[in-house]
Amino acid sequence: MLILEKRPSPSRFWQGATPVLAVALTMIAGGVMFAILGKNPFEAIRTIFWDPVFGEFAWYFRGQLLVKAGPLILIAVGLSLGFRAGIWNIGAEGQYIMGAIFGAAVGLAFYPASGWFIFPLMVLAGGFGGWLWAMIPAILRTKFRTNEILVSLLLVYVAQSILSSMALGALRNPEGGGFPGSRNLSQYPAAANPEIIAGSGMHWGVVAAFIAVIAAYVLLQRHILGFHIRLAGQAPRAARFAGVSPDRLVVLCMGISGALAGLAGLFEVSGPAGQISIDFASGYGFTAIIVAFLGRLNPLGILLAGLLMALTYVGGDNASTNLGLPSASIQAFQGMLLFFLLAVDLLSNYRIKFLLKERA
Amino acid sequence: MELFGGINPAVLIASLMVAAVPILLAAIGELVVEKAGVLNLGVEGMMIMGAICGFVAAVESGSPLVGFIGGALGAAALSLIFAFLTQVLLANQVATGLALTLFGLGLSSLIGQGYVGIKPPLTGEVPFGPLADIPVIGTILFQHDWMVYASIAVIAAVWAVLRYTRTGLIIRAVGESHDAAHALGYKVIRIRVLAIMFGGAMAGLGGAYISLVRVPQWTDGITAGAGWIALAIVVFASWKPWRVLVGAYLFGGITVLQLNLQAAGARIPVEYLSMSPYLITILVLVIMSADKSRAALNAPAALGRNFHASR
């Protein structure tokens, strides 16, 4: 029979190997799912994972890869800090929406003026909007011990209602003929977030994501706050004795993750999305949770995980146009990836032993 | 009674009882799961799987009963993934619950592709004959479909089992101290897996009620956060079955009231009315958790902690 034996400390080898193993297992299970849907599994996997990077139209897809990866990485880096400390902000989607609304509102307030300061102001407003939205669960947790998981998640639905109210009301394009949706920010040069190098997909949000990865890496490795975050996650009691205030960590971690999610929303609304519309929210805030875990809550890992997850989006689009694969199957595929990741995580914390005879 | 812009209070109460059924069922299932010491945050995912499986089963068979059974089975099957990951592979319960929700949302919309715009078979009222014609009381009590009564019966059953039976005692023991329960010879893992499956089946019934009775049709993301509200209601109820009923009816009342206000053309914009149930749920959570003594006394002590018997 099989028994599990807890390792004294997590295996370093398996910590690195489990994400790779999880991806491999997901591809197999995904292949089975595609086969059930009546598609050739090998062709489907190739269309999703190979063609966007090395195929005929890779020049187009590679740019799209950065466009999708930017917000995912930016949000996931923020979430990973909290997850490490045992603080579960799972409402990043709402903070992302609020950041977009705040940022776009500032930009639209200046319309049609021009000035170099407009876009930086929007960036500040976007980060502030996300931070503000994350402060609600943070303050409720520190003041009233309210569960931050439920509050941050419920606030996503509130943010979605505010989004549709904004698209239909306050921020609606006055020249839009009554259609819902704001003015297109990407056609308003002072507020637009265009590609820095045409065709590369590299916009300011992607730059911000790279900066966030480096900053988080330095924070966790070299700064006392990063040490406190890791300590609070691994040994909460020891952290308290060391004088780490749990409340301060909650406010900081929620604040940072909220602000980063807000920034992601702002860069998205002023760039790839272009406008505040009813269907602006695209689930990046939820997928970023998978990215954070797939990257093992490590900034560099998140960078790779974000790119891989972006590949499933881009490849999924490719597969739905070329093979008629339902787009929902990609979402199921991403969920499966998280399952396998959590499952094989066992290997880094436990040894598996085979016993030939059952003990009496 | 011309309160709330001409809304009849008897009709309001009757319709809040219907509106509360999905979260009532999901919350009572989750209550048993949490009583056994497991925190399953995947209620939303299990509900939506129940919604689509129930819808498909009902449409294909033409029978709402088969639909509800299908919904319960579909969601229980999904909950088995959670049970396997957290109980056998000892994965983090919070993360696994989130994964369950993300996966359930994706899989349900995959299964539901060919079912958009179809009407499910009708779930009829229970025929109470003349009782249904009694003014006010008849409207409130005797004009519902059988799931409304079944959901109340489930609450009563869970309350009785947890309080008076040996099974209930074992479930609570496992949730309070899995080590002590293990030392007494109870199969902690097996009991928890069964509790998780019960929670899944109840969430599935709740989900099926949304797609078969409340809406009734299939659209992506049809549960719209009901699973998360069910989780909040368990906290609100401080893990007591009858308070789940109170919480769910309170929530159902708010939902119905805001829908009626929308229909009556109240001056408040629709978007602000539709966010009100979520805001009020948050408010209730805050009030409950601010009262430290009450929340701490009743939460199962081993909630969210995995059990690994180290020989």
PDB file of all heavy atoms in Angstrom, chain A residues 188-209:
ATOM      1  N   TYR A 188      -7.869  59.063 -28.216  1.00  0.00           N
ATOM      2  CA  TYR A 188      -7.667  60.358 -27.571  1.00  0.00           C
ATOM      3  C   TYR A 188      -6.209  60.371 -27.115  1.00  0.00           C
ATOM      4  O   TYR A 188      -5.867  59.860 -26.054  1.00  0.00           O
ATOM      5  CB  TYR A 188      -8.643  60.479 -26.404  1.00  0.00           C
ATOM      6  CG  TYR A 188      -8.422  61.640 -25.457  1.00  0.00           C
ATOM      7  CD1 TYR A 188      -7.862  62.845 -25.891  1.00  0.00           C
ATOM      8  CD2 TYR A 188      -8.792  61.529 -24.122  1.00  0.00           C
ATOM      9  CE1 TYR A 188      -7.671  63.875 -25.009  1.00  0.00           C
ATOM     10  CE2 TYR A 188      -8.604  62.568 -23.236  1.00  0.00           C
ATOM     11  CZ  TYR A 188      -8.035  63.742 -23.683  1.00  0.00           C
ATOM     12  OH  TYR A 188      -7.833  64.771 -22.814  1.00  0.00           O
ATOM     13  N   PRO A 189      -5.316  60.959 -27.950  1.00  0.00           N
ATOM     14  CA  PRO A 189      -3.863  60.748 -27.781  1.00  0.00           C
ATOM     15  C   PRO A 189      -3.351  61.032 -26.364  1.00  0.00           C
ATOM     16  O   PRO A 189      -2.518  60.285 -25.866  1.00  0.00           O
ATOM     17  CB  PRO A 189      -3.257  61.737 -28.776  1.00  0.00           C
ATOM     18  CG  PRO A 189      -4.319  61.954 -29.774  1.00  0.00           C
ATOM     19  CD  PRO A 189      -5.632  61.818 -29.075  1.00  0.00           C
ATOM     20  N   ALA A 190      -3.875  62.066 -25.687  1.00  0.00           N
ATOM     21  CA  ALA A 190      -3.319  62.412 -24.390  1.00  0.00           C
ATOM     22  C   ALA A 190      -3.614  61.345 -23.345  1.00  0.00           C
ATOM     23  O   ALA A 190      -2.925  61.239 -22.331  1.00  0.00           O
ATOM     24  CB  ALA A 190      -3.870  63.750 -23.921  1.00  0.00           C
ATOM     25  N   ALA A 191      -4.655  60.509 -23.577  1.00  0.00           N
ATOM     26  CA  ALA A 191      -5.045  59.525 -22.579  1.00  0.00           C
ATOM     27  C   ALA A 191      -4.788  58.099 -23.050  1.00  0.00           C
ATOM     28  O   ALA A 191      -5.095  57.153 -22.348  1.00  0.00           O
ATOM     29  CB  ALA A 191      -6.533  59.675 -22.249  1.00  0.00           C
ATOM     30  N   ALA A 192      -4.225  57.942 -24.240  1.00  0.00           N
ATOM     31  CA  ALA A 192      -4.100  56.599 -24.804  1.00  0.00           C
ATOM     32  C   ALA A 192      -2.851  55.900 -24.295  1.00  0.00           C
ATOM     33  O   ALA A 192      -1.875  56.532 -23.910  1.00  0.00           O
ATOM     34  CB  ALA A 192      -4.073  56.675 -26.329  1.00  0.00           C
ATOM     35  N   ASN A 193      -2.933  54.581 -24.294  1.00  0.00           N
ATOM     36  CA  ASN A 193      -1.828  53.741 -23.873  1.00  0.00           C
ATOM     37  C   ASN A 193      -1.472  52.862 -25.071  1.00  0.00           C
ATOM     38  O   ASN A 193      -1.825  51.697 -25.125  1.00  0.00           O
ATOM     39  CB  ASN A 193      -2.278  52.905 -22.672  1.00  0.00           C
ATOM     40  CG  ASN A 193      -1.307  51.798 -22.342  1.00  0.00           C
ATOM     41  OD1 ASN A 193      -0.110  51.882 -22.620  1.00  0.00           O
ATOM     42  ND2 ASN A 193      -1.833  50.728 -21.735  1.00  0.00           N
ATOM     43  N   PRO A 194      -0.790  53.463 -26.090  1.00  0.00           N
ATOM     44  CA  PRO A 194      -0.556  52.716 -27.334  1.00  0.00           C
ATOM     45  C   PRO A 194       0.628  51.759 -27.185  1.00  0.00           C
ATOM     46  O   PRO A 194       1.312  51.771 -26.174  1.00  0.00           O
ATOM     47  CB  PRO A 194      -0.217  53.830 -28.326  1.00  0.00           C
ATOM     48  CG  PRO A 194       0.427  54.878 -27.477  1.00  0.00           C
ATOM     49  CD  PRO A 194      -0.134  54.768 -26.091  1.00  0.00           C
ATOM     50  N   GLU A 195       0.838  50.946 -28.207  1.00  0.00           N
ATOM     51  CA  GLU A 195       2.027  50.094 -28.209  1.00  0.00           C
ATOM     52  C   GLU A 195       3.257  50.976 -28.311  1.00  0.00           C
ATOM     53  O   GLU A 195       3.297  51.930 -29.089  1.00  0.00           O
ATOM     54  CB  GLU A 195       1.979  49.143 -29.409  1.00  0.00           C
ATOM     55  CG  GLU A 195       0.951  48.048 -29.247  1.00  0.00           C
ATOM     56  CD  GLU A 195       0.938  47.134 -30.461  1.00  0.00           C
ATOM     57  OE1 GLU A 195       1.002  47.656 -31.597  1.00  0.00           O
ATOM     58  OE2 GLU A 195       0.851  45.919 -30.272  1.00  0.00           O
ATOM     59  N   ILE A 196       4.272  50.666 -27.500  1.00  0.00           N
ATOM     60  CA  ILE A 196       5.483  51.481 -27.519  1.00  0.00           C
ATOM     61  C   ILE A 196       6.278  51.213 -28.785  1.00  0.00           C
ATOM     62  O   ILE A 196       6.801  52.112 -29.422  1.00  0.00           O
ATOM     63  CB  ILE A 196       6.317  51.190 -26.252  1.00  0.00           C
ATOM     64  CG1 ILE A 196       5.496  51.573 -25.019  1.00  0.00           C
ATOM     65  CG2 ILE A 196       7.618  51.974 -26.280  1.00  0.00           C
ATOM     66  CD1 ILE A 196       6.058  51.060 -23.729  1.00  0.00           C
ATOM     67  N   ILE A 197       6.345  49.951 -29.164  1.00  0.00           N
ATOM     68  CA  ILE A 197       6.913  49.586 -30.462  1.00  0.00           C
ATOM     69  C   ILE A 197       5.780  48.929 -31.242  1.00  0.00           C
ATOM     70  O   ILE A 197       5.220  47.928 -30.777  1.00  0.00           O
ATOM     71  CB  ILE A 197       8.091  48.592 -30.309  1.00  0.00           C
ATOM     72  CG1 ILE A 197       9.117  49.149 -29.324  1.00  0.00           C
ATOM     73  CG2 ILE A 197       8.715  48.262 -31.658  1.00  0.00           C
ATOM     74  CD1 ILE A 197      10.058  48.097 -28.766  1.00  0.00           C
ATOM     75  N   ALA A 198       5.432  49.493 -32.404  1.00  0.00           N
ATOM     76  CA  ALA A 198       4.254  49.016 -33.126  1.00  0.00           C
ATOM     77  C   ALA A 198       4.363  47.521 -33.412  1.00  0.00           C
ATOM     78  O   ALA A 198       5.412  47.036 -33.838  1.00  0.00           O
ATOM     79  CB  ALA A 198       4.090  49.796 -34.418  1.00  0.00           C
ATOM     80  N   GLY A 199       3.282  46.780 -33.160  1.00  0.00           N
ATOM     81  CA  GLY A 199       3.231  45.371 -33.493  1.00  0.00           C
ATOM     82  C   GLY A 199       3.852  44.460 -32.452  1.00  0.00           C
ATOM     83  O   GLY A 199       3.764  43.242 -32.557  1.00  0.00           O
ATOM     84  N   SER A 200       4.480  45.028 -31.421  1.00  0.00           N
ATOM     85  CA  SER A 200       5.147  44.179 -30.439  1.00  0.00           C
ATOM     86  C   SER A 200       4.206  43.769 -29.315  1.00  0.00           C
ATOM     87  O   SER A 200       4.488  42.832 -28.573  1.00  0.00           O
ATOM     88  CB  SER A 200       6.340  44.918 -29.838  1.00  0.00           C
ATOM     89  OG  SER A 200       5.867  46.013 -29.057  1.00  0.00           O
ATOM     90  N   GLY A 201       3.100  44.492 -29.163  1.00  0.00           N
ATOM     91  CA  GLY A 201       2.206  44.215 -28.052  1.00  0.00           C
ATOM     92  C   GLY A 201       2.675  44.854 -26.767  1.00  0.00           C
ATOM     93  O   GLY A 201       2.014  44.783 -25.740  1.00  0.00           O
ATOM     94  N   MET A 202       3.861  45.483 -26.826  1.00  0.00           N
ATOM     95  CA  MET A 202       4.453  46.066 -25.627  1.00  0.00           C
ATOM     96  C   MET A 202       3.811  47.426 -25.351  1.00  0.00           C
ATOM     97  O   MET A 202       4.068  48.392 -26.046  1.00  0.00           O
ATOM     98  CB  MET A 202       5.964  46.209 -25.863  1.00  0.00           C
ATOM     99  CG  MET A 202       6.731  46.871 -24.748  1.00  0.00           C
ATOM    100  SD  MET A 202       6.894  45.794 -23.342  1.00  0.00           S
ATOM    101  CE  MET A 202       8.488  45.082 -23.670  1.00  0.00           C
ATOM    102  N   HIS A 203       2.913  47.496 -24.350  1.00  0.00           N
ATOM    103  CA  HIS A 203       2.386  48.802 -23.954  1.00  0.00           C
ATOM    104  C   HIS A 203       2.809  49.076 -22.521  1.00  0.00           C
ATOM    105  O   HIS A 203       3.499  48.253 -21.905  1.00  0.00           O
ATOM    106  CB  HIS A 203       0.865  48.877 -24.163  1.00  0.00           C
ATOM    107  CG  HIS A 203       0.077  47.893 -23.363  1.00  0.00           C
ATOM    108  ND1 HIS A 203      -0.096  48.008 -22.008  1.00  0.00           N
ATOM    109  CD2 HIS A 203      -0.595  46.757 -23.718  1.00  0.00           C
ATOM    110  CE1 HIS A 203      -0.832  47.011 -21.569  1.00  0.00           C
ATOM    111  NE2 HIS A 203      -1.139  46.226 -22.584  1.00  0.00           N
ATOM    112  N   TRP A 204       2.402  50.222 -21.972  1.00  0.00           N
ATOM    113  CA  TRP A 204       2.909  50.611 -20.654  1.00  0.00           C
ATOM    114  C   TRP A 204       2.519  49.611 -19.568  1.00  0.00           C
ATOM    115  O   TRP A 204       3.235  49.448 -18.581  1.00  0.00           O
ATOM    116  CB  TRP A 204       2.423  52.017 -20.285  1.00  0.00           C
ATOM    117  CG  TRP A 204       3.149  53.077 -21.065  1.00  0.00           C
ATOM    118  CD1 TRP A 204       2.630  53.891 -22.018  1.00  0.00           C
ATOM    119  CD2 TRP A 204       4.539  53.400 -20.982  1.00  0.00           C
ATOM    120  NE1 TRP A 204       3.602  54.701 -22.545  1.00  0.00           N
ATOM    121  CE2 TRP A 204       4.788  54.422 -21.927  1.00  0.00           C
ATOM    122  CE3 TRP A 204       5.619  52.921 -20.229  1.00  0.00           C
ATOM    123  CZ2 TRP A 204       6.053  54.981 -22.131  1.00  0.00           C
ATOM    124  CZ3 TRP A 204       6.872  53.474 -20.426  1.00  0.00           C
ATOM    125  CH2 TRP A 204       7.075  54.497 -21.366  1.00  0.00           C
ATOM    126  N   GLY A 205       1.408  48.928 -19.735  1.00  0.00           N
ATOM    127  CA  GLY A 205       0.993  47.923 -18.760  1.00  0.00           C
ATOM    128  C   GLY A 205       1.976  46.767 -18.689  1.00  0.00           C
ATOM    129  O   GLY A 205       2.249  46.232 -17.613  1.00  0.00           O
ATOM    130  N   VAL A 206       2.519  46.387 -19.869  1.00  0.00           N
ATOM    131  CA  VAL A 206       3.491  45.299 -19.891  1.00  0.00           C
ATOM    132  C   VAL A 206       4.783  45.751 -19.204  1.00  0.00           C
ATOM    133  O   VAL A 206       5.388  45.004 -18.427  1.00  0.00           O
ATOM    134  CB  VAL A 206       3.764  44.850 -21.340  1.00  0.00           C
ATOM    135  CG1 VAL A 206       4.749  43.701 -21.360  1.00  0.00           C
ATOM    136  CG2 VAL A 206       2.466  44.464 -22.024  1.00  0.00           C
ATOM    137  N   VAL A 207       5.172  47.014 -19.470  1.00  0.00           N
ATOM    138  CA  VAL A 207       6.352  47.569 -18.807  1.00  0.00           C
ATOM    139  C   VAL A 207       6.132  47.543 -17.285  1.00  0.00           C
ATOM    140  O   VAL A 207       7.000  47.102 -16.523  1.00  0.00           O
ATOM    141  CB  VAL A 207       6.611  49.016 -19.273  1.00  0.00           C
ATOM    142  CG1 VAL A 207       7.794  49.620 -18.521  1.00  0.00           C
ATOM    143  CG2 VAL A 207       6.858  49.039 -20.766  1.00  0.00           C
ATOM    144  N   ALA A 208       4.940  47.984 -16.861  1.00  0.00           N
ATOM    145  CA  ALA A 208       4.637  48.004 -15.427  1.00  0.00           C
ATOM    146  C   ALA A 208       4.694  46.600 -14.844  1.00  0.00           C
ATOM    147  O   ALA A 208       5.165  46.406 -13.716  1.00  0.00           O
ATOM    148  CB  ALA A 208       3.245  48.610 -15.197  1.00  0.00           C
ATOM    149  N   ALA A 209       4.241  45.603 -15.609  1.00  0.00           N
ATOM    150  CA  ALA A 209       4.272  44.227 -15.122  1.00  0.00           C
ATOM    151  C   ALA A 209       5.709  43.780 -14.876  1.00  0.00           C
ATOM    152  O   ALA A 209       6.016  43.176 -13.850  1.00  0.00           O
ATOM    153  CB  ALA A 209       3.587  43.296 -16.122  1.00  0.00           C
TER     154      ALA A 209
END
